Amino acid sequence: MTDAQDTAADSSLRTTGGAPPDDGGSSVTGAPAGAASPDTGSEPVAEPVPLLEPRDGIPPVIADEESLARAIAAFEAGSGPVAVDAERASGYRYGQRAYLVQLRREGAGTALIDPVACPDLSGLGEVLSDVEWVLHAATQDLPCLREIGMVPTRIFDTELAGRLAGFPRVGLGAMVENVLGFVLEKGHSAVDWSTRPLPEPWLRYAALDVELLVDLRDALEKELDRQGKLDWARQEFDAIASAPPPEPRKEPWRRTSGMHKVRRRRQLGVVRELWETRDRIARRRDVSPGKVLSDAAIVEAALALPANVHALSALNGFGHRMGRRQLEQWQASVDRAKALSESQLPQPGQPVTGPPPPRAWADKDPAAAARLSAARAGVSALAERLNMPQENLITPDTVRRVCWEPPEQVTADTVAAALAGHGARPWQIEQVTPVLVAALSA
């Protein structure tokens, strides 16, 4: 009996509606009657079952080395894949560190680990190094897990699997409901996970996030196999697991919301100075930068170029609640930008390393614009036939680059080599090459 079936069998963990039967006739093998296949469009034939409590109850939070050692031993002795999740405090704290790590494995049960009290989880990562990790939206959690010593070698990403299988909604709650027939309570996804102690309802939510993750993985594996996409998914998972940490973003201040309003270089200099001052303060106080000063306020000051604190205080975002000392701090940043020489001011726009924006292609290179139009149409039609999002079939950036600078001789081999050079996986190359050859040859 799987975790999902065992949980459903316990009437104390669900409300009315009954447990979904083992065989509901869905094409998702083993899915209950409340589940729907991604490509049939059929509505669930039974009410989904609300999942109210973890099957084994809410485990105590692991916050000391002795408890952590016991958990490591238990997970090393467990069997099968391990479900892994992490909770961050986005919007509350500086950076994207983990404030709770949840794991579940057959034979080990569920563990909730406090990475603030136990910041080095490399011992746990080592005993699970050869185990398949099941995550939902793995690229969101892997960076913060890497920071605490947890680096998988094999993964199964249930969100990405859902995309490849053609599910229209791929959030964890939607996937568990559509595939397994259970409803997860998602009310605590955006809370401040740096809170200590963590409230019991939050811990219940966190434990339930990994309760059925391996069951979801098993059902999706069968569905991908049924569609002939399982090898494609494995290639994608391998690419995520083997990807190096991303390089630090160059000139991150340019991502300030509302930057499209800022035209002049002096104004860009103000944005940069205010952004960098805000970042230093946020890092020192360990709070989200938006809680120090909003993006809207930064842009407002850049456009107004206030002459003094009085003028600054009249702008939106610098109102009466801001103290004199804070206002003087922000005005000093504005004044520094106003004092920069022309050579010190940032250039408008970000350095372009790839093709120009597609809207400019018709003027710069009409032939390339025609190639891109044909390629986009072909990729769109192929993605529809394969029942998956276009961006998962092949990234739009890859299509643009190949269309802007196609091989001198357009053949299946040269186009395949170009795609590989841009990081496309073998399955993507196999599927997309004929489409691009036709578009580039038109």
Side-chain angles (χ1 to χ4, degrees), residues 12 37 55 74 87 102 155 186 205 234 236 276 330 360 369 384 413:
S12 67
S37 171
R55 182 171 61 140
E87 305 295 347
Q102 309 100 280
I155 71 165
K186 299 297 291 182
Y205 158 88
R234 286 172 175 158
E236 293 299 302
E276 291 178 349
W330 300 124
E384 187 172 348
D413 288 342

Side-chain angles (χ1 to χ4, degrees), residues 4 71 96 221 369 391:
Q96 294 295 315
E221 182 180 59
E391 62 269 20

Side-chain angles (χ1 to χ4, degrees), residues 50-335:
L51 198 59
L52 304 181
E53 291 285 343
R55 182 171 61 140
D56 305 321
I58 304 172
V61 176
I62 295 170
D64 61 78
E65 293 303 319
E66 184 178 344
S67 300
L68 177 60
R70 288 196 297 268
I72 292 174
F75 275 84
E76 183 177 22
S79 61
V82 57
V84 183
D85 191 23
E87 305 295 347
R88 298 175 298 279
S90 303
Y92 298 95
R93 295 290 183 176
Y94 187 88
Q96 294 295 315
R97 67 172 296 184
Y99 283 95
L100 187 70
V101 176
Q102 309 100 280
L103 304 98
R104 182 173 180 83
R105 191 182 190 195
E106 184 70 29
T110 297
L112 304 179
I113 304 175
D114 180 357
V116 177
C118 301
D120 182 7
L121 299 186
S122 57
L124 180 60
E126 288 172 8
V127 302
L128 297 174
S129 62
D130 294 329
V131 176
E132 180 188 83
W133 295 23
V134 184
L135 305 102
H136 192 82
T139 54
Q140 295 182 20
D141 287 341
L142 288 178
C144 69
L145 291 170
R146 183 181 290 113
E147 289 179 357
I148 53 179
M150 296 185 65
V151 183
T153 56
R154 292 187 294 132
I155 71 165
F156 190 106
D157 187 333
T158 50
E159 186 206 45
L160 181 51
R163 291 180 182 277
L164 295 175
F167 283 87
R169 296 188 303 140
V170 294
L172 180 59
M175 292 296 293
V176 167
E177 181 174 342
N178 292 334
V179 177
L180 300 178
F182 293 92
V183 177
L184 291 177
E185 195 274 312
K186 299 297 291 182
H188 302 299
S189 59
V191 298
D192 181 2
W193 287 96
S194 68
T195 300
R196 293 296 183 272
L198 287 165
E200 182 177 296
W202 300 11
L203 296 174
R204 180 181 297 107
Y205 158 88
L208 287 173
D209 260 6
V210 292
E211 178 84 3
L212 300 181
L213 207 50
V214 173
D215 293 88
L216 180 60
R217 171 238 181 270
D218 292 344
L220 288 173
E221 182 180 59
K222 292 174 183 176
E223 179 63 17
L224 288 167
D225 190 36
R226 185 188 72 83
Q227 295 185 25
K229 299 175 180 176
L230 184 55
D231 183 60
W232 303 359
R234 286 172 175 158
Q235 291 181 37
E236 293 299 302
F237 302 156
D238 288 345
I240 293 173
S242 61
E247 293 289 331
R249 193 182 299 276
K250 294 181 179 179
E251 299 188 316
W253 59 270
R254 290 187 183 271
R255 292 177 62 82
T256 303
S257 180
M259 279 290 289
H260 62 282
K261 303 175 186 176
V262 183
R263 305 288 186 182
R264 293 156 48 194
R265 291 179 64 199
R266 185 70 56 187
Q267 294 172 332
L268 289 173
V270 172
V271 172
R272 182 177 64 186
E273 288 292 333
L274 286 172
W275 189 97
E276 291 178 349
T277 299
R278 180 184 71 173
D279 191 66
R280 287 193 297 270
I281 296 170
R283 184 188 297 270
R284 185 179 71 245
R285 291 170 50 191
D286 190 19
V287 297
S288 169
K291 289 187 175 295
V292 176
L293 188 69
S294 70
D295 280 8
I298 289 178
V299 171
E300 185 91 2
L303 296 177
L305 295 174
N308 50 47
V309 167
H310 179 71
L312 180 68
S313 67
L315 301 178
N316 289 333
F318 299 91
H320 64 280
R321 293 185 179 181
M322 189 172 288
R324 176 80 184 187
R325 185 175 177 181
Q326 289 176 294
L327 287 169
E328 289 175 347
Q329 172 182 255
W330 300 124
Q331 184 62 43
S333 296
V334 174
D335 291 342

Side-chain angles (χ1 to χ4, degrees), residues 8-23:
D10 185 347
S11 60
S12 67
L13 305 188
R14 53 185 170 83
T15 59
T16 58
D22 291 344
D23 183 10

